[in-house]
Amino acid sequence: MADAKVLSKEPLPEDQAKWIKLTKINYRDPKGVQRVWESAERSTRPKGGEIDGVGMIAILDKPSGKEIVLLKQYRPPIDMITIEVPAGLVDDGETAEQAAIRELREETGFVGAVAECTPVMYNDPGFCNTNLRMVHLTVDMDLPENQNPKPKLEEGEFAEVFTVKVADLWEECHKLERQGFAIDARVGSFAEGIWYAQKLKL
């Protein structure tokens, strides 16, 4: 992934956009003043669906301690390799839980079982309407299919799977940032929550 880089940027005509569209929103604020907002919207949400995608908190229960499954993935919008949790779009007719199990296996090779599903979360509501559910999964390391997991990435997908001890995740985020990686907000928020809970002795 070190060879990946942005070659050029240019405006994208609306008829060439596959996944997003820009929208001008006319709205009234709490004082009754009419205003304008600019928004990006996903055009991939299944018809009648409530969410665009899912993110997965997949935990391996190892004798040496619990570990979280992460990805290193190049992202052209920021021209950096990011540290992310596995994630993906929901297919038509899928539940968040079904999408999470499928995407975890495709992106990492691991077979997981759903433990928890969060409320709907909005990634950046001041900018776009994209939303997701975070699905927590446990990975049984005794299962034969989890002994030597192999991702099944689609054409054009490039990701490196690795794991980090959950207890060390906050410190590892700082370390990875110093190495030049970008920390995805879902990873950072999860790590910060763990660190803060430790600090408050919750």
Side-chain angles (χ1 to χ4, degrees):
M1 284 185 289
D3 293 332
K5 65 177 181 179
V6 171
L7 301 178
S8 66
K9 291 184 180 183
E10 61 190 77
L12 177 65
E14 187 174 334
D15 61 354
Q16 293 180 22
K18 296 178 182 179
W19 305 298
I20 60 172
K21 64 178 181 178
L22 297 178
T23 302
K24 177 182 176 182
I25 302 171
N26 298 296
Y27 74 102
R28 184 173 58 241
D29 74 12
K31 292 186 175 181
V33 178
Q34 292 189 22
R35 299 184 184 278
V36 175
W37 199 280
E38 297 176 2
S39 171
E41 295 183 3
R42 272 197 177 275
S43 54
T44 54
R45 185 180 298 175
K47 189 173 182 180
E50 65 169 356
I51 55 172
D52 297 301
V54 290
M56 285 79 80
I57 301 295
I59 303 297
L60 313 182
D61 199 356
K62 293 187 174 182
S64 56
K66 296 185 185 299
E67 298 182 8
I68 184 172
V69 179
L70 298 175
L71 300 176
K72 292 178 181 177
Q73 192 164 6
Y74 173 74
R75 292 300 191 182
I78 59 173
D79 196 23
M80 294 177 73
I81 297 172
T82 61
I83 306 301
E84 306 179 4
V85 293
L89 298 177
V90 174
D91 287 343
D92 192 26
E94 272 188 326
T95 65
E97 293 87 347
Q98 291 168 337
I101 291 171
R102 173 183 57 77
E103 284 285 352
L104 182 69
R105 187 156 199 177
E106 289 175 3
E107 292 198 342
T108 71
F110 284 113
V111 175
V114 173
E116 180 81 18
C117 191
T118 71
V120 176
M121 299 181 179
Y122 291 83
N123 299 12
D124 191 349
F127 168 67
C128 63
N129 71 338
T130 303
N131 65 7
L132 81 164
R133 288 186 187 272
M134 294 297 293
V135 182
H136 297 211
L137 301 111
T138 57
V139 178
D140 185 348
M141 297 306 292
D142 291 330
L143 292 178
E145 51 265 52
N146 287 330
Q147 298 307 307
N148 187 26
K150 296 192 183 306
K152 297 178 182 177
L153 299 174
E154 296 178 9
E155 175 66 27
E157 281 189 316
F158 305 92
E160 178 187 328
V161 182
F162 70 109
T163 63
V164 172
K165 285 188 176 181
V166 174
D168 300 334
L169 185 56
W170 181 243
E171 180 183 335
E172 191 67 19
C173 284
H174 285 286
K175 180 177 164 186
L176 288 162
E177 183 187 42
R178 289 193 297 270
Q179 293 173 359
F181 295 99
I183 309 300
D184 182 87
R186 288 164 288 193
V187 175
S189 295
F190 186 67
E192 185 179 12
I194 293 168
W195 169 79
Y196 209 59
Q198 291 169 336
K199 186 176 179 180
L200 294 177
K201 297 181 170 47
L202 297 179

